[in-house]
Amino acid sequence: MPERFKEMGYWELVTRQMSIVTKSEQTRFKDAKIAVMGCGGIGGEVIEMLARMGVGELNVVDNDYFDLSNINRQVLSTFENLGLSKSEVAKEKVRQINPYTKVIAFKDDINEENISQIVDDSDIIIDCLDNLLTRVIVSRYAKSNNIPFIHGAIHGTLGQITVFTNEKDIDYETMFNLPSKDKKLDETIKEELNKLASEKPPVIGPTANIVGCMQAIEAFKIITGIGEIVTAPEILNFDLLNLSTFSIE
């Protein structure tokens, strides 16, 4: 980045949103640390929006590499970075957008042993995953450590977003009636979860990116304290082919 722009500083970068939040509210976001689980279709949009809104720190996690089939929806993917690590590309993208945001990239499979290291002392965990077992592991960690867990998922033109907090008893496994609820994640339960999500869902680009944008603004609302949050058991659903379906249930 040209030095003359860097010298203009963080506050110039976020100046257009400063009529929406106060300086103290934005400062909370500037000091926040958010873990983004997944850097693909949903996660790439989340990461970019958080950087543009001025988040302080990001831990970005993905063990996958870009391939040609990602181009239709994953904003971080290009022909130039095919074959490269999604988390490392995400880190570089944030550096280009907002050098004031600190980023740590992880290329690990998320499991019960390493989740604490990956999430560390994050203020929020954002679920941009496509693996049900991993979602369960991350959601359990978030609940046990009192960390807001922002869930997002897509299927074709369908999208959903909700936020799990310890302010209400509902959790991810209960809300979606998963077979793992209140059970140890042994091999039998893991197999059941994997069977529930064994096929790759269809998806078109705008679905993933709308969900990602909405997860990012939920994180912004949680940290700054402005606006209303879509808190579970409420869930925001939509179908891009039927605009009347945009609803909170």
Side-chain angles (χ1 to χ4, degrees):
M1 179 177 65
E3 195 63 31
R4 68 183 186 277
F5 290 130
K6 190 172 183 179
E7 290 175 357
M8 294 172 73
Y10 174 89
W11 293 102
E12 182 68 18
L13 185 150
V14 299
T15 186
R16 291 292 294 271
Q17 64 199 46
M18 294 309 297
S19 60
I20 300 170
V21 292
T22 66
K23 188 167 185 177
S24 63
E25 290 166 344
Q26 183 65 40
T27 298
R28 289 200 290 271
F29 199 64
K30 181 175 180 287
D31 295 338
K33 182 176 183 178
I34 297 176
V36 182
M37 302 295 173
C39 303
I42 299 175
E45 190 65 48
V46 169
I47 291 163
E48 179 160 337
M49 288 300 103
L50 292 176
R52 291 187 185 279
M53 289 190 291
V55 73
E57 294 187 44
L58 288 172
N59 280 8
V60 299
V61 190
D62 205 306
N63 68 343
D64 200 3
Y65 299 82
F66 286 116
D67 63 47
L68 197 57
S69 69
N70 300 147
I71 296 286
N72 87 313
R73 67 200 179 282
Q74 300 191 14
V75 294
L76 299 180
S77 63
T78 66
F79 272 77
E80 284 71 26
N81 61 33
L82 295 179
L84 300 183
S85 162
K86 291 183 179 181
S87 60
E88 291 293 342
V89 169
K91 179 178 179 178
E92 174 60 19
K93 181 68 172 181
V94 172
R95 186 196 66 79
Q96 294 171 4
I97 293 170
N98 180 359
Y100 305 103
T101 297
K102 177 182 176 181
V103 185
I104 300 177
F106 294 86
K107 294 185 283 187
D108 310 79
D109 279 316
I110 301 167
N111 55 53
E112 292 171 282
E113 285 69 46
N114 66 10
I115 180 64
S116 60
Q117 175 192 356
I118 290 172
V119 173
D120 196 18
D121 55 348
S122 297
D123 299 294
I124 291 174
I125 300 172
I126 303 184
D127 161 27
C128 308
L129 297 160
D130 58 4
N131 181 289
L132 187 55
L133 173 59
T134 308
R135 274 198 175 112
V136 169
I137 292 170
V138 175
S139 69
R140 286 186 176 187
Y141 184 87
K143 182 175 177 60
S144 63
N145 289 275
N146 198 29
I147 304 172
F149 177 69
I150 305 177
H151 164 69
I154 57 174
H155 188 282
T157 59
L158 306 176
Q160 64 183 34
I161 304 99
T162 191
V163 179
F164 295 92
T165 70
N166 279 358
E167 296 175 4
K168 297 187 178 181
D169 292 334
I170 193 78
D171 59 44
Y172 175 74
E173 292 170 89
T174 300
M175 183 163 170
F176 293 102
N177 195 29
L178 298 180
S180 56
K181 174 61 181 171
D182 295 326
K183 296 179 181 177
K184 183 180 179 180
L185 292 179
D186 58 23
E187 292 306 312
T188 300
I189 294 298
K190 289 179 180 179
E191 186 177 344
E192 286 190 54
L193 290 173
N194 288 331
K195 284 181 180 178
L196 289 175
S198 59
E199 296 182 1
K200 289 186 177 181
V203 61
I204 193 166
T207 313
N209 289 286
I210 289 171
V211 168
C213 283
M214 298 186 80
Q215 286 181 291
I217 197 64
E218 290 301 298
F220 189 75
K221 290 188 288 185
I222 292 168
I223 296 296
T224 61
I226 67 169
E228 298 179 23
I229 300 164
V230 183
T231 307
E234 290 184 334
I235 186 166
L236 192 154
N237 292 297
F238 67 82
D239 181 350
L240 293 181
L241 299 184
N242 184 353
L243 298 184
S244 66
T245 62
F246 277 75
S247 64
I248 296 178
E249 301 174 356

